[in-house]
Amino acid sequence: MTESGSRRGADEGGTKQWELVVGLEVHCELATATKLFCGCPNQFGAEPNTNVCPVCLGLPGSLPVLNRQAVEFAMRLGRALHCTVEPSTFARKNYFYPDMPKDYQVSQYDQPINAEGHLDLPSGQRIGIERAHLEEDTGKSTHVGGGGRIHEAGHSLVDYNRAGVPLVEIVGRPDLRSSEDAKAYAAELRAILLATGVSDAKMEEGSMRVDANVSVRHPGEEFGTRCEIKNLNSLRSLGRAIDYEARRQIDLIEAGERVIQQTRHWDEADGRTHTLRSKEEAYDYRYFPEPDLVPVVPSAEWLAEVEASVPTLPAERREAVAEAAGVTPADAALVVERGLDGLVLAAIAAGADPLRVLTHADHNLAVEGADALDPRALAELVTMEADGALTATQAKTVLAEMVAGGGSPAEIAGAKGFEAVSADALGDVVDGIIAANADEWDRYVNGDDKTRGKLTGFFVGQVMRATQGNADGKAVTALLEQRRGG
Amino acid sequence: MADATPATTDTAVAIAEAVRSGERSAREVLDTHLAAIDAREGEIHAFNLVLADEARAAADEIDRRVAAGEDPGPLAGVPVALKDNLCTRGVATTCSSKILEGWEPPYDATVVRRLADAGAVVVGKANLDEFAMGSSTENSAFGPTRNPRDTTKVPGGSSGGSTAAVAAGFAAVGLGSDTGGSIRQPAALCGVVGMKPTYGRVSRYGLVAFASSLDQIGPLTHTVADTARVLEVIGGHDPADTTSIPEAMPALESVLGDGVAGLRVGVVRELMGEGIAPDVAARVREAAEVLAAAGAEVGEASVPAVTYGLSAYYLIAPAEASSNLSRYDGVRYGLRVDAPTTPEMNLASRTAGFGAEVKRRIMLGTYALSAGYYDAYYGKAQKVRTLIIRDFAAAYESFDLLLAPTSPTTAFPLGAKVSDPLTMYLNDICTIPSNLAGQPAVSVPFGAGDDGLPVGVQLLAPALAEAPLLRAAAVLEEGAPS
Ligand SMILES: [Zn+2]
């Protein structure tokens, strides 16, 4: 795990290697029909302050009623992250902020609904999940004038449509050792959120928000002092911010200074992190049990239902493809990400050559409608290609046609005039070309590698011309080598 | 003691049955009560707002329904005073605080809706200690309420306005809220029946929160039968309050005549000693004799942890209050005092909007929850709460009901304790344990003290045992010295 650490620090003249330590805290909005504690629609983009009621406005006398669907989504996500679902309670997190209607946030504190899970990256690395708990979202402030900053604004407008939207906060352990790993973790988590259907997980729209805890150390030493980075609105920002922050901390330490624990804000425009508040300025949230809500103790039946609703997860799907195709799970990542693993597995089951299927899925099927392809047709195509009935280029063309309009590969190949050139027939053509070009063949057989390389192109071109392009270049090259040796 | 005219001490049951049968009109009943308000409200100040016009319209509607052959419900035409921390749609709800200046809730509290559905007529929003924090109704931003039995005395609190309204004949029923005794203590001091039901019996939806884990709405009435009837109307599960009890309300009014034969009643030893005025303690012992004479097995009970109740309460209640009252920040509703920045505006609004006692409790509660102090204060108080529940449970192995004073003394003069919070807090020493335990308790008028002012005795029961509790209350009511 120190390779990535060694990429920074040591390669720039440091005497010791530096290791980056990252843990991510991810907030995601649950895609429930209504808010966490009231019946208002949970909807993005409505007119300001239209999806509000006494409860989510925190009006005096109002009381929260927990949304069953939100609990169910949280549990489903928890199980997808291999957490144990625990009896849980809510707590109040107290601090003043205008976009928080009650001036406290209802969250889960010492008894979260999901505890102790993990997430497996496509690389096979396992990242611990400390907890994944439920809480309510705040409203959204817009600062008018003063460049949008609260301290200089003429006035502020608050939209409470988002107030009370259910969130799950997923607290990852500091097991990540590079910005690439952190991005892979966020991407994998997003895939799980989408697969389980609990969130639309859009970083740009804020329905998935990532905060990064970053520190540096020498490998094997205690964790260094960490800084929490906020305002990471894309995977790209996440990666850049982590790299910047690590560099900043290493520079501080190497200059004989200390890293101060603080919350920092990533500025995408200037590519730096800036101090938001230090540990001393941190709020005392005065957590205490939320007296308006009762503990959540899901029944065994409900848990079983939730368990059954967890779909096959990306990591398991990668495993399945890897096993069927005889590749590593990382090699299967792309088809799973594209949702083509079902197609790939079915095509392999129908007898197609696994590696050729994977190659097509990786390179030729990043298109709309690919997942609707008939796996038997794909298998047929791959078999034609393997048998030499189609060249790789022809197969790609036929495949595009199959995705666009359906139909069997044989019909499409026929319609395109892609004629089968059998191995025997191809041998005859090659022998004919050799006979007709004796000088070139002599130089091919007796020349150096460079000469042979040039002449390979010549012979393949001749064969292609003779077969109207229906020959497979690789097969021709193989035959030429066979004739030379034989 | 006999200031009120006979007409305005009519019970809720009597009024409702007379209105339902067409014997009396709701309008005539209302006018009688409005006349009493006209006569004495200037002196008593039970209300923050009298809703005479709205009440007349509501009474006329009841009469129209009776004329049309409909039954307006078990509280048909009964005039009700609502504590002004119960939300009323489109009608100012102030909690007797400047901070809620101008705020009109867009919704009715569940109890308000249930009262209206039962035919009750709201006559006004009653005064209280600001945000229900106090025991004398002197902590009101709108001035104190006076005790109708003796206007030099406090009515108790915090539901002093609702209680005084009943005692003065301004309304047949008052609704109060009881966080540490705020229904029972004023009931004792004004000579009416006041009950705190089991926590969760009555929906808190629309009750402006003081201390959420302790707050409970309950009735203030002339009689035990009225309390039973009102509780049947306002109680029962409410899906809008997650902490409300799912079980249906048991029949209360119909079992009141069942008596106490065979019930075991324990007088709480720890609440009969130091700090309890001798005349009050004497009435409690007499009440025990009345119950024994009616066939109850009376003995002495011990609930040792109740002596820590006051300390635990003054950590838990302020802690919850400090959080509940955060929302009054000048941003969305109520008072706003402008200032250059948002935090300064929050501070200026809260400084101007809250009274001294509210500020004191917010500071106490904030401190009790602070990092580094939580375990020593809030955490420990919760442990004491558990101890009290445990000790009550042990006592209820030997007894069905417990008996104790409601208030340590009879009503005290206005101004006597207002400058000494600790002395004021001691008023609730006998009532707080039931709130901490979430159990029902009722204060029943039982004779008078040496000063001639009313004394209330308190019956306590395990959770959900409202029926035996009120049966015993009815026996005490019957046997009370006249
Ligand atoms: Zn809402």
Side-chain angles (χ1 to χ4, degrees), chain A residues 35 38-40 51-53 55-56:
Chain A
K35 294 186 182 182
C38 65
C40 291
N51 291 338
V52 292
C53 74
V55 175
C56 58

